[in-house]
Each structure stands twice: as structure tokens, then as C-alpha cells.
Amino acid sequence: METQVADKQFYSNKLSEQIWGHRFTDGQRGVEYVLEFLNVIAGANYKLDATHYSRKKMELFRQFVFEGEKHGAVKKGEPSYLEFSLEEKEKLIKELGIQKNDLEDLQLFFKNLRVELLRAEGKAMDRSWYAQMLFPLNEALLFFELRSRKKGDNEVNAFERNFFARGGELYYLMLTYGTAHDSKLRTSIETQFKRLMSGNQNIGRIVNSICKSLNEEAQFDYNQPLSKSVLLQKTQELLEQYEGAAKSEYPTLPDTNKDIYRVMAEDLNALMKINVDIYEFMGMLTSLVNFHIYSYMMTQASEYIGEQYKLFIDCMDGANPHIKRLAQHAFKDNERIVKECFDRHTDKHLETLLPASDAETKIMKWKEAANNSQAMLVDNYKQFFKDLKYSKLQDASKLELISTLVEDNKQAYKLLVQKIKEISRKDMSKQSTILNILSRDGGFMISSRGVQARYTLSDNLLSVFVCVLLDEAPQMSFQEFKRKLYERYHIVIAEDEATQSGIYAAERINLRCFIDNGTQLRSKLAKNGLLEEYSDATALIKNPYFKQGAV
């Protein structure tokens, strides 16, 4: 792995990015992390540790597929809907050598591949056509999110870099770092993703034919100029090849050497070996990727405050009030860990940049510099924001900070500290939303209106754990399975893990509750064909996917 060139400043001053990296966004659903990652690794020609990756627009193909869908935000009057020209349709009919009915069938087929994005309450998200994705049966169906923008009098659809691919880029980096010292593992992951995205070649050929007729590309252009690519890391060699790299934004993680990255790579490699239908596999991959990112974020927060997070799972569907309460408390306690991490990070930020001993002197200098400036209000305080490392803060937040600099410097310090903590808490609130989405869409949390969130275990994620923990082993004892869940993922279910984690001693509920919770997990595994009972004392976990034929 090449050495990255350090930047002198962050692209953003959010504390969350110093804790977790640049950057996760709160608008993404669980499956989008997977689609983002697939776009990144396919755009990097299925190579980890790439310096950049290519993107695809496929704008006309998508207009053909999503004809009639919403186009842009609804403003005054009626909403706008996408139109696909009759001229382009006739061109497709002629060049593909098909009838009108065949073209309509093709359009409907691809539209039915749309990835449905659901809100927490189960309602479909109202996305415009250029922000919708198709199920990636083949790499030809991978493309980047677009955003409609005004350019002069015209409307153009440009790549959406502000939101799309952020989480996928960071997951890509985690796998890169997790395989840095294991070329065999890295090659295995790369090869298996290339195999996965090369499937359903007939569909790929149809997409290619449609795009060719529309004079656009369905394949990634790996020879395109660096100026059109997205950077994944900056190296000295890249800076020498491309002058614009110095100012280009790229994803970063605060730590490139973490044990959890290796765990992610091993898990993903094991899951990729199973032989299942891609529809089922995408659901499993979504669960795993969401669980991995959630675990990473909790690991970062836990390590910062020196307290281990735990995932106590309710396997009894809320039937046992004690188990339900423990699963709720575990979720709430992990929210506390994140909040405490933010608070400590904020305090450290203040101690470093605005120590109480010379705060009043600094404030006086900032105000004097602003009074001597002839610039606009926010620009008057350039030195103020630079010293606090808030130069990238949005103007609205900058104005809030400026408002704290009252005449009394002592009072100004108190107000400034209070406002900085408020800004940090707003950032923390967005990160909590990200964690909620990851846990819900990953299949290990449920919540409803008026009911506290609690950790559970969906059938999908349970199947994933069986696949990755057994890998290519034919079987594993139920006790060993529970032990590995605890040691590898901090998942607590039954009496042994409750005792070892300290939950049993702290909660002081009847040990029978934990035993029953473990029994219910055993029953759930058996119902899903993942466990065979031999006696009350003996049960073996099995991986049925390998019976279907491993890759």
C-alpha cells in the first residue's frame, strides 16, 4: 500500500469526520452503502488499494427506464415528470431490430429492477429519477447518482458527489487496509467481486446494446483522464501525474491500522464464497456491510472513551420483558457512548485551540482584527475561524459563532464554548441517525412509534453470521457459535456471554432469562435450516449454502 500525502486541513471541520472519517452522510439507506461500494470497486477495475476510480452516467439509458418518474423537487404548481423522446424510442426500435411492444417490455423489465428505498415507517422514499438505482444483476447496471442543476439557461444532470458513494468509498478503504498484509485475501475478494458483477451476461449485452444505440457507454472507462476520475487516496506519484490532485477531495479514515478492518475483509471473503441467487445474496451483503460499518463506528467511539460497547440481542421477539428491556438498554447505552465520545472530543478541541487561560486575550484579538477589516461580516472573522479550525463551517453556523463575541470577553468565552458544544451536538444528532439506519437496515434493530429501539437479529443477518463464522467448515457447535459471536462482534445472547460481559452481574435478573434467550436463538437457527438437534445437550450449526455448491 502506497504512502498517502497528508493534507494540511480537513475538507470539513465536523468532529464526526475526525472520529469516523470523511465522510458518512445521514441521507443514505442501508442498500445504498452496498451500491456505492459496488460502483467504487467496479470503477477501480476490481482492485483494492487503487488511487482512483471511474464513474458512469448512463443518463439516456436511465431516462428510457425511468420515463414518467418525478423530475426534481416539487415547487409551485404541478410536479415535473421525466419524458423520453419519441425520436429516441424510434431510434432504439430501429437499431435493436425489435417491435414497439418489445421495447415497452424491455422498459418495464428494467423498471422492475428498481431498488426500493424505504423510510423507517416502511414508506417508499420519494426520489427523482436521477437518484434512483437498479438492482445490479451485472456491472452494466451500475451507475452513479446524478443531480439536476441549472447551467445558464439550460438544465444539466451532473454527477452527485456530495452524497453518493461517500460510505461506499470508506468501506472500500477499510477493506484496502484490512488486506494490506494479506495479498491472498485481497486477491480473493477482488476476484470474487469481479465474478459476481460479471454474471447475467445476457442482461449486460442488452444494456450495452441499448446504450450503444443511444451513443453512450455502459462499461467503465479505465483509461479516462485522472481529471474525470474520483480520487481514493493521494500519493506522490498521483500528484506528479495530475496537477489537480492537490486540490481534489478524497475519502479519509482517521486510522489505517485497525483489527476490525481485517475482520471485515475475512467476513466478506467468506460470504462471497457461497453459491446463492444474486437477489438473496444482495440482501445478505447489505446486512453484512451495514453491520460492519455500524461496528466500525461503535468501535471508534468506544475506544475513544475507553469503554467496550455491547450488542445484547433480544431473540424472544419481546415476549420476555426482562430480555426486551436489556436489549433496549444496550441500544440506549451505545447511544450514550457515542454522545460521550462527541463531548470528550469537543472538550479536547476546546482545550487545544481555546484554553481558558488565554481565551479572553484571543477573543480580544479576534474582535480587533474584525473591526479593522473592510470585508463582509463573515469574512471579517477569517482569523477567528482559522484559529478555531472552523474555516469550512457553513455561513449560518459561522454567524452563530460570531454572535457570541459580545463586549465582555469573559462572557464571550462562556457563550463561545456553549455555541461550539451546540454545533457538536447537531453533528452528533446526524451521526445517531446514521447509526439508526445502519442497524435497522442491517437487520439488527427494531423500533416503532412510542417504543424504544432494541437489538434483534433478523433471519438474513443470522444466515450471514453462520456463513462467515463457519466459512468452509462443515459444522460448529452451538456453544462455539455463541462464543464467536461474542468474541468477534461483542454480541451477547445467553448465560455464558451475559456472565462474561458483566451484564448478568450488573442487571441482576434471573439467569433463566438468559438461558431462555439462548434457547430461542437455537430454535430460530433450526427453523431456518441452520442447526441440527441431536439431543438436549448437543446441537450443531451447519452452513446449508455450501451444500448447494461452493464457488
Side-chain angles (χ1 to χ4, degrees):
M1 185 170 60
E2 296 183 74
T3 303
Q4 290 195 26
V5 177
D7 277 310
K8 294 181 179 179
Q9 61 180 0
F10 287 95
Y11 293 111
S12 168
N13 298 113
K14 294 180 180 178
L15 291 179
S16 60
E17 298 185 14
Q18 298 174 36
I19 300 169
W20 289 308
H22 180 71
R23 64 183 168 87
F24 293 108
T25 59
D26 60 339
Q28 302 301 79
R29 303 305 308 183
V31 69
E32 288 184 287
Y33 289 103
V34 177
L35 293 170
E36 289 170 354
F37 170 70
L38 291 175
N39 267 281
V40 174
I41 195 166
N45 201 8
Y46 302 100
K47 294 294 181 184
L48 294 171
D49 198 26
T51 56
H52 59 281
Y53 69 95
S54 304
R55 299 176 292 185
K56 291 190 296 174
K57 265 190 176 183
M58 296 175 61
E59 184 177 349
L60 293 176
F61 173 80
R62 292 151 79 173
Q63 289 179 1
F64 162 66
V65 173
F66 295 118
E67 182 183 19
E69 297 290 317
K70 189 181 84 167
H71 176 79
V74 178
K75 299 178 182 178
K76 293 180 180 179
E78 293 296 319
S80 175
Y81 296 101
L82 174 67
E83 294 182 4
F84 187 70
S85 73
L86 182 60
E87 181 183 348
E88 292 287 7
K89 287 183 182 179
E90 291 174 347
K91 182 179 177 183
L92 284 175
I93 290 171
K94 180 180 178 181
E95 297 200 13
L96 295 176
I98 58 177
Q99 301 297 315
K100 181 181 178 182
N101 289 344
D102 297 327
L103 187 67
E104 290 173 351
D105 289 343
L106 270 179
Q107 188 180 45
L108 182 60
F109 171 79
F110 285 114
K111 185 171 285 189
N112 286 337
L113 290 179
R114 172 173 36 201
V115 175
E116 292 289 349
L117 302 175
L118 303 177
R119 299 186 185 278
E121 63 273 18
K123 294 181 180 179
M125 298 184 74
D126 188 21
R127 295 277 185 91
S128 291
W129 67 270
Y130 45 75
Q132 296 194 44
M133 297 289 133
L134 297 178
F135 198 88
L137 295 175
N138 180 274
E139 74 165 35
L141 290 173
L142 290 174
F143 40 71
F144 220 77
E145 184 176 320
L146 303 177
R147 171 161 292 196
S148 185
R149 293 186 176 93
K150 281 285 186 182
K151 190 173 182 179
D153 295 332
N154 300 319
E155 190 173 1
V156 296
N157 297 310
F159 285 121
E160 174 49 76
R161 176 79 173 108
N162 198 35
F163 298 104
F164 191 74
R166 298 293 191 171
E169 289 172 352
L170 291 183
Y171 190 66
Y172 174 92
L173 290 184
M174 293 174 199
L175 294 176
T176 293
Y177 301 144
T179 58
H181 304 294
D182 192 335
S183 59
K184 184 178 179 181
L185 178 61
R186 174 175 288 180
T187 300
S188 178
I189 292 172
E190 293 169 342
T191 302
Q192 291 183 97
F193 268 109
K194 188 168 186 176
R195 171 193 56 80
L196 176 71
M197 299 315 299
S198 298
N200 296 290
Q201 291 189 8
N202 286 337
I203 291 175
R205 280 191 283 269
I206 293 171
V207 176
N208 279 306
S209 296
I210 294 174
C211 288
K212 186 177 179 180
S213 298
L214 296 171
N215 296 318
E216 61 182 11
E217 282 294 328
Q219 299 300 313
F220 289 97
D221 180 6
Y222 300 121
N223 297 314
Q224 70 180 21
L226 281 170
S227 59
K228 293 185 177 181
S229 301
V230 182
L231 298 192
L232 287 166
Q233 52 183 318
K234 285 183 184 176
T235 63
Q236 191 60 47
E237 182 182 356
L238 187 70
L239 290 172
E240 292 171 359
Q241 292 177 2
Y242 170 42
E243 291 181 2
K247 296 182 179 179
S248 295
E249 187 177 351
Y250 69 106
T252 59
L253 290 168
D255 192 341
T256 62
N257 184 23
K258 298 189 73 68
D259 292 339
I260 193 171
Y261 299 157
R262 172 75 185 192
V263 170
M264 290 178 178
E266 291 174 346
D267 286 354
L268 187 62
N269 186 54
L271 185 67
M272 293 293 294
K273 295 175 186 175
I274 69 173
N275 185 20
V276 296
D277 179 84
I278 190 169
Y279 286 98
E280 182 180 357
F281 181 77
M282 275 295 291
M284 297 173 78
L285 184 60
T286 298
S287 290
L288 182 63
V289 170
N290 279 251
F291 181 78
H292 277 168
I293 296 175
Y294 183 93
S295 299
Y296 162 74
M297 295 180 75
M298 285 307 310
T299 297
Q300 288 293 92
S302 293
E303 289 179 355
Y304 195 85
I305 69 169
E307 181 179 342
Q308 180 58 60
Y309 76 94
K310 306 178 190 73
L311 306 177
F312 183 85
I313 305 292
D314 177 7
C315 297
M316 305 183 74
D317 298 325
N320 185 309
H322 299 296
I323 294 297
K324 180 180 179 180
R325 177 176 58 83
L326 287 181
Q328 290 173 331
H329 283 187
F331 192 86
K332 194 169 184 179
D333 196 50
N334 287 340
E335 288 183 320
R336 173 194 62 79
I337 288 174
V338 172
K339 181 180 181 301
E340 191 168 332
C341 172
F342 262 82
D343 288 343
R344 291 193 190 183
H345 214 293
T346 305
D347 290 341
K348 183 179 178 181
H349 177 81
L350 288 167
E351 288 171 11
T352 303
L353 301 175
L354 192 62
S357 58
D358 60 354
E360 291 181 41
T361 302
K362 283 191 171 186
I363 288 172
M364 182 175 65
K365 288 181 178 179
W366 289 330
K367 289 194 290 188
E368 287 177 354
N371 289 334
N372 293 329
S373 173
Q374 301 299 316
M376 299 292 288
L377 180 59
V378 170
D379 291 336
N380 284 347
Y381 291 86
K382 277 186 177 180
Q383 193 62 44
F384 169 54
F385 296 121
K386 183 179 179 182
D387 290 349
L388 289 177
K389 297 193 182 300
Y390 277 134
S391 297
K392 299 292 183 179
L393 207 61
Q394 292 183 348
D395 282 356
S397 296
K398 284 182 176 180
L399 288 171
E400 290 181 14
L401 288 174
I402 291 172
S403 70
T404 66
L405 300 180
V406 295
E407 186 173 347
D408 185 325
N409 292 333
K410 188 174 183 178
Q411 179 66 10
Y413 172 63
K414 291 180 180 178
L415 292 172
L416 181 57
V417 168
Q418 182 181 348
K419 183 58 65 177
I420 288 174
K421 288 186 175 182
E422 283 180 18
I423 292 172
S424 174
R425 290 190 193 106
K426 286 179 183 177
D427 191 14
M428 184 204 70
S429 177
K430 291 183 178 181
Q431 306 313 305
S432 295
T433 299
I434 292 171
L435 287 163
N436 288 345
I437 290 172
L438 287 167
S439 55
R440 183 184 296 111
D441 291 0
F444 54 100
M445 182 273 274
I446 59 172
S447 64
S448 57
R449 191 179 298 275
V451 179
Q452 288 183 32
R454 71 180 189 276
Y455 290 118
T456 58
L457 201 55
S458 68
D459 291 345
N460 222 22
L461 187 56
L462 187 58
S463 296
V464 169
F465 285 144
V466 168
C467 289
V468 301
L469 292 181
L470 269 69
D471 197 354
E472 294 182 283
Q475 58 191 29
M476 176 187 291
S477 72
F478 178 61
Q479 289 299 115
E480 177 72 0
F481 180 70
K482 289 194 293 111
R483 183 182 68 80
K484 286 200 170 188
L485 284 176
Y486 176 67
E487 292 178 352
R488 194 170 179 88
Y489 310 119
H490 313 295
I491 290 176
V492 178
I493 291 173
E495 67 277 15
D496 291 340
E497 306 86 66
T499 301
Q500 190 175 346
S501 66
I503 289 179
Y504 173 58
E507 298 295 337
R508 302 192 178 194
I509 66 172
N510 194 313
L511 192 64
R512 186 76 231 174
C513 293
F514 296 109
I515 295 172
D516 290 346
N517 200 42
T519 300
Q520 191 60 35
L521 173 65
R522 183 166 159 166
S523 175
K524 191 172 186 178
L525 285 160
K527 287 178 181 177
N528 282 278
L530 304 171
L531 177 143
E532 287 186 354
E533 303 266 10
Y534 292 94
S535 67
D536 290 341
T538 305
L540 292 177
I541 305 290
K542 62 177 185 177
N543 188 344
Y545 296 104
F546 283 101
K547 289 184 178 180
Q548 298 174 15
V551 176

